[in-house]
């Protein structure tokens, strides 16, 4: 049990962590930190935090564990601000969607105290009102210790993730980033691109377009409801891995396009089968 | 009420139509037609048909309404076989995912008796065991009458779709095909491509890849579980419209790629916002 937990950023992820930590007895006291007083008051109303502060210094003072749950660019700033504000022995983790850049910045700024993390849970909804205590239940919570992370700090964060109902998974920050480029960041780009394509086609003289959308369009564009600002930051923070993933996917689409244009039924079928078999063989999650 | 309905192809769509027609009193007697006796027996067991026949001639004899619910290439063959087998005044419709080619073939072969259709309902599951009586409830059922379709035949098919719980929508076959290229066929290609990209990345030394897949990957690849053979046929039957839709989407992805590579945050954000706004403004379905 963490005596005092500071959650910096009380949106979907931070708010859910507060709700889960309080609900499951994983923290004795939860302090919410963020720039917006109304959001912090709403987090308190919802039971996600016991108290709150609009400044980082006041919020993390005395905390045993600090969870940074702001957008990635803000986490990078906070890592540089935190060092002088922490009590001795405090551990810092984060919930950023990209780990390489954060791991390097956090190791530089906080050394042994920092253990980067990423709960693989989320929603196209965002904000404190979307938070829920069961968000992490059964979800993978990636932990990507840096060469400087102390074993005690790693164990503190591992135990915290498990106490929230998640399954902690240790891996290298760059392996994490290459994986989520394919399993999370690329699916977001595809969803935004599909939605934009449909928006243009509907505007371009196809008034019944959305009447003819069934399940595949709803699934394919679900996460285009996510915040473009948030995903801009994530994409740029994972630029190289995401470019590789996108190029691999453009290669698959290009193969389909060439086969379709040539009327080459066998090559088209082979391309579709590659996807079908990968889906069939993938674990459920 | 249709006294005698013949459903040719008792998979997900045909089986669900039989279940819905029998359950809602939309047909007096439902005959299932298909090449596979075991499938037809299973359809009878499930209550989707009252009787069945493994040959088209025996199955459609005496039918007032014939629903062709086989894969698109098979529907095109059946349209040419049906003319001499129908009783006078019989009406024929179909549930094929592509309408231009089917409308032309059906008008040539059956003239006033043929009214092409496409219920906008489906699932990544297929076959009689996935059929259910509520599949069409509230779904759009596109009807794309040909210049030859008789008004009586159109009304018969419209009333049948409505009796199954669907919302009939009349439109031009080519407008239909341009719309579903964007709202259905393109999402399938993207799902297959995303799944194939992940399969290759996992095989290529990223063993934790699927542990790091959360909701966006599940949604983005859901329909890659669909039959590649079925979708090969659909894609080739709607080649030109699908190529246009795919090229528009590749244009969106290309714009994102260029902005990402250049680190051009504003252009990337603009591209993501186009998708976000189209999703936000799209009707729910």
């Amino acid at each position: 049990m963490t005596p005092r937990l500071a959650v910096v950023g009380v949106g979907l992820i931070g708010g859910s962590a507060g709700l889960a930590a309080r609900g499951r007895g994983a923290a004795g006291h939860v302090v919410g930190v963020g720039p917006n007083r109304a959001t912090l008051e709403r987090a308190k109303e919802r039971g996600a935090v016991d108290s709150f502060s609009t400044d980082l210094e006041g919020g993390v003072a005395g905390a045993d564990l600090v969870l940074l749950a702001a957008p990635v660019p803000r986490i990078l700033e906070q890592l540089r601000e935190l060092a002088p504000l922490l009590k001795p022995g405090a551990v810092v983790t984060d919930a950023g969607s990209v780990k390489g850049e954060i791991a390097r910045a956090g190791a530089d700024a906080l050394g042994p105290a920092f253990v980067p993390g990423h709960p693989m849970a989320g929603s196209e909804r965002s904000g404190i009102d979307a938070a829920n205590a069961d968000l992490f239940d059964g979800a993978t919570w990636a932990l990507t210790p840096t060469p400087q992370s102390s074993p005690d700090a790693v164990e503190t964060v591992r135990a915290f993730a498990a106490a929230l109902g998640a399954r902690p998974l240790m891996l290298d920050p760059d392996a994490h980033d290459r994986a989520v480029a394919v399993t999370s960041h690329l699916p977001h780009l595809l969803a935004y691109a599909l939605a934009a394509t449909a928006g243009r086609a509907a505007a371009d003289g196809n008034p019944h377009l959305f009447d003819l959308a069934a399940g595949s369009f709803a699934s394919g564009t679900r996460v285009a409801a996510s915040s473009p600002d948030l995903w801009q930051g994530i994409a740029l923070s994972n630029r190289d891995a995401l470019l590789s993933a996108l190029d691999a996917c453009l290669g698959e689409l290009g193969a389909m396009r060439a086969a379709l244009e040539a009327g080459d039924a066998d090559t088209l079928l082979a391309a579709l089968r590659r996807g079908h078999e990968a889906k069939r063989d993938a674990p459920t999650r």
Side-chain angles (χ1 to χ4, degrees), chain A residues 71-163:
Chain A
V72 170
R74 187 74 193 103
I75 291 175
L76 290 167
E77 293 168 10
Q78 288 161 347
L79 285 168
R80 289 185 282 268
E81 299 163 16
L82 269 178
L85 312 179
L86 298 171
K87 80 169 186 186
V91 171
V92 178
T93 188
D94 77 300
S97 301
V98 179
K99 298 271 63 78
E101 193 175 356
I102 285 176
R104 287 182 286 275
D108 282 355
L110 301 170
F114 184 58
V115 183
H118 179 207
M120 302 307 301
S123 166
E124 71 280 16
R125 298 180 59 209
S126 59
I128 182 64
D129 286 317
N132 77 81
D134 298 324
L135 188 67
F136 309 110
D137 223 20
T140 297
W141 191 307
L143 295 177
T144 62
T146 75
Q148 286 101 309
S149 303
S150 81
D152 284 357
V154 173
E155 175 51 25
T156 295
V157 179
R158 194 206 57 74
F160 176 73

Side-chain angles (χ1 to χ4, degrees), chain A residues 136-197:
Chain A
F136 309 110
D137 223 20
T140 297
W141 191 307
L143 295 177
T144 62
T146 75
Q148 286 101 309
S149 303
S150 81
D152 284 357
V154 173
E155 175 51 25
T156 295
V157 179
R158 194 206 57 74
F160 176 73
L164 265 48
R167 295 179 295 111
L169 174 73
M170 302 285 170
L171 76 169
D172 174 76
D174 292 313
H176 168 279
D177 288 355
R178 288 197 308 278
V180 294
V182 174
T183 61
S184 171
H185 308 173
L186 175 60
H188 279 81
L189 294 193
L190 295 177
Y192 285 117
L194 175 57
T197 302

Side-chain angles (χ1 to χ4, degrees), chain A residues 250-269 271 274:
Chain A
L250 290 171
E252 295 290 341
L253 289 170
M256 289 178 194
R257 193 201 178 288
L260 188 58
E261 186 165 42
D264 179 347
D266 291 344
T267 302
L268 179 60
L269 183 60
R274 273 200 298 280

